[in-house]
Amino acid sequence: MKDHYTIKYCDASSILLINPQGMLKRLYCPFRVQCKQSTGPFKQGMWVWVEEVSVNAQDQLLFSILDTLYLYAHFDIKTVF
């Protein structure tokens, strides 16, 4: 079963995950994510480290990986609450 949770931006060094039961988990950079699809130099299934987080003008969450910004939607966060 796929993990389902809401992701909220906290600050440049952390995000907040909220699971369906309302439990909270704060992830601090650097944290690992897995590529859902090939993006930039990263292949599908590859694990990479998020160095920093930010949001763009459209309020979309961005992950800084190797000094380049990528939309969070291209990555899965694997975690346990």
Side-chain angles (χ1 to χ4, degrees), residues 41-42 49 51 64-68 70:
F42 312 120
W49 290 95
E51 301 158 343
S64 177
I65 303 168
L66 299 176
D67 296 322
T68 303
Y70 299 94

Side-chain angles (χ1 to χ4, degrees), residues 33-49 65-66 70 74-76:
V33 294
Q34 189 174 30
C35 298
K36 290 183 188 178
Q37 60 194 35
S38 294
T39 303
F42 312 120
K43 303 291 182 211
Q44 182 177 359
M46 191 174 179
W47 288 91
V48 295
W49 290 95
I65 303 168
L66 299 176
Y70 299 94
H74 297 292
F75 303 93
D76 275 328

